[in-house]
Amino acid sequence: MRRSREDTAATRQAIVKDASRLFRARGIDAVSVADVMGEQGLTVGGFYRHFADKEQLVAEAIAAASEQSSDGHAAATKGYAPGKLAARMLERYLSKEHCEHPEAGCPVAALCSDVAHGGPAVRASFTRALRRLLQMADEALPGDGARARERRLHAAAAMVGAVVLARATDDPALADALLRSVRRGIEQASERESASPPRRARATSSAAARRRR
Amino acid sequence: MRRSREDTAATRQAIVKDASRLFRARGIDAVSVADVMGEQGLTVGGFYRHFADKEQLVAEAIAAASEQSSDGHAAATKGYAPGKLAARMLERYLSKEHCEHPEAGCPVAALCSDVAHGGPAVRASFTRALRRLLQMADEALPGDGARARERRLHAAAAMVGAVVLARATDDPALADALLRSVRRGIEQASERESASPPRRARATSSAAARRRR
DNA sequence: TGTACATCAGTGAACGCGCGTTCACTGATGTAC
DNA sequence: TGTACATCAGTGAACGCGCGTTCACTGATGTAC
């Protein structure tokens, strides 16, 4: 039974959205094409009218999750003063809430390991999502120069690492300690940085000076 | 054809070792029980003489990988002065070599995402491996007090995050930047900490003071 | 030390199951006239 | 605007495949006497 163009587009969008939720919640391999279609009350045969294969769906689901996650961050930080942005970002990203609800959270944290063994389209989509996460860090932890960029990459890696490990461990106390430690670590680095101007920070950092040989 | 006790024990050990390598290389779901047995030229039926089910193998494989990884670290840092331990640990953990060879590397970084959806035995074994990774950080980044412990948890999360993300992205330059940024970030924090005694560091850290309410 | 027998590591085929993908078909939608 | 026909979204069954697990069997090892 053919559907109108609007219905078709809406169905496709709904499939991607369901997939992005299910993949984040259960992992890519644990969610079948039939599972995804079932969310909309559809059967599996129709899937291939919309997508070439499962890999294409995964790639698009990652993109959709990245966009949703990015929009959520934008909405949650709207109106925040630049100095409060980092704290707000960390509060959200490193929350118990985020750990307990991967299906609505950051696809980078939810799918990083699944993606490592994935196809090229999936990895490319994941890399775009990772870049978007890094943009969030750029905004919250601003600053020019290689030192500032390194600081943001370090922060992003720690944030993802903390959430991934907090989700993987069966010890809630350890999970909580990881989240709190990364949050404070990044906050303190951020405050240290904004307290002293970059030039002075560089001049007094023996480590940075040594590294620059 | 029954085997001697020594043979049986050796076979069991070999199966676990092969599994620990294959799971880290390809992920848990992507490696079948038959794949693991095939490494020793065995057929799948014999597997259940050694293990109750695949989950038990996964749990033991994580433990074996953790031990191997820990021993490798101990051997590679033997004789290093306390002040050089952190640099050596970071050099190894955040290396291209480590990223390209998950099968011989840290099981926490290789399996963190697989484990998040695993059974209780697997998660418990993973948590023990994570604790062992944290011990490595304790040794390399020593210091008493809650602040020092947070610093180590932060470092461990960032290390795992960097390796996981470096492996997942298809952009080698981004992977390299992540590894380098985390390495420098932890090194600099470590040097900053050892340069100023903890008491002074606390007194001058407005962030820490504010946090302690 | 020798013998009879129980044990059990490993074989290889089978089990039921769920997967991704294909396909003939249906019938409403879109289009050409 | 009306009609005839092509298109194609979705169905539901089937395809081949690989998975974890089970099981009857084999024959060397371990053990009891």
Side-chain angles (χ1 to χ4, degrees), chain A residues 23-27 29-30 108-117 120 123-127 130-131 133-134 147 149-151 153-162 164-171 174 177-178 180-188 191-192 205-208 210-213, chain B residues 23-27 29-30 108-117 120 123-127 130-131 133-134 147 149-151 153-162 164-171 174 177-178 180-188 191-192 205-208 210-213:
Chain A
F23 289 148
R24 280 179 284 176
R26 294 194 236 149
D29 289 347
V108 173
L111 303 173
C112 52
S113 211
D114 291 40
V115 158
H117 313 102
R123 291 170 67 103
S125 185
F126 179 86
T127 297
L130 175 55
R131 288 235 169 73
L133 177 65
L134 291 171
R147 232 341 239 100
R149 179 162 189 258
E150 281 180 5
R151 213 160 43 84
L153 286 165
H154 181 190
M159 287 164 62
V160 172
V164 166
L165 293 178
R167 285 175 180 160
T169 186
D170 62 356
D171 179 348
L174 180 54
L178 279 162
R180 221 167 346 98
S181 297
V182 169
R183 187 168 160 184
R184 293 195 187 180
I186 298 174
E187 269 177 356
Q188 284 164 15
E191 287 168 10
R192 196 187 313 119
S205 167
S206 60
R210 212 172 306 148
R211 281 263 143 231
R212 220 171 291 112
R213 23 187 142 180
Chain B
F23 288 148
R24 281 180 283 176
R26 296 192 234 149
D29 288 347
V108 173
L111 303 174
C112 52
S113 210
D114 290 39
V115 159
H117 313 102
R123 289 169 68 102
S125 185
F126 179 85
T127 298
L130 175 54
R131 288 235 169 73
L133 177 66
L134 292 171
R147 234 335 242 100
R149 179 163 189 258
E150 282 182 3
R151 213 159 45 83
L153 286 165
H154 181 188
M159 286 165 62
V160 172
V164 166
L165 293 178
R167 284 175 180 160
T169 185
D170 62 357
D171 180 345
L174 180 54
L178 280 161
R180 221 168 344 102
S181 297
V182 170
R183 187 169 160 182
R184 294 194 187 181
I186 298 174
E187 270 176 357
Q188 284 163 16
E191 288 169 10
R192 196 188 313 118
S205 168
S206 60
R210 212 170 307 148
R211 281 262 143 231
R212 219 171 294 113
R213 17 184 150 190

Side-chain angles (χ1 to χ4, degrees), chain B residues 35-75:
Chain B
D35 287 340
V36 174
M37 295 302 279
E39 290 289 302
Q40 291 292 318
L42 300 171
T43 57
V44 66
F47 175 78
Y48 295 87
R49 294 280 167 202
H50 295 285
F51 307 94
D53 51 25
K54 190 186 179 182
E55 178 166 6
Q56 193 192 343
L57 176 65
V58 174
E60 293 198 25
I62 290 172
S66 175
E67 197 167 344
Q68 182 207 326
S69 196
S70 180
D71 289 352
H73 170 73

Side-chain angles (χ1 to χ4, degrees), chain A residues 54-140:
Chain A
K54 191 185 179 184
E55 178 166 5
Q56 192 192 344
L57 175 65
V58 173
E60 292 197 26
I62 290 173
S66 174
E67 197 167 344
Q68 181 206 325
S69 195
S70 179
D71 288 352
H73 169 75
T77 55
K78 202 181 162 188
Y80 273 69
K84 306 274 185 188
L85 261 179
R88 177 62 173 154
M89 173 185 75
L90 295 167
E91 179 193 17
R92 277 170 47 83
Y93 201 97
L94 296 168
S95 66
K96 205 181 161 201
E97 174 77 12
H98 186 200
C99 287
E100 285 174 356
H101 293 100
E103 74 280 359
C106 176
V108 173
L111 303 173
C112 52
S113 211
D114 291 40
V115 158
H117 313 102
V122 169
R123 291 170 67 103
S125 185
F126 179 86
T127 297
R128 280 190 291 273
L130 175 55
R131 288 235 169 73
R132 184 124 56 165
L133 177 65
L134 291 171
Q135 278 169 20
M136 189 175 88
D138 288 349
E139 197 190 301

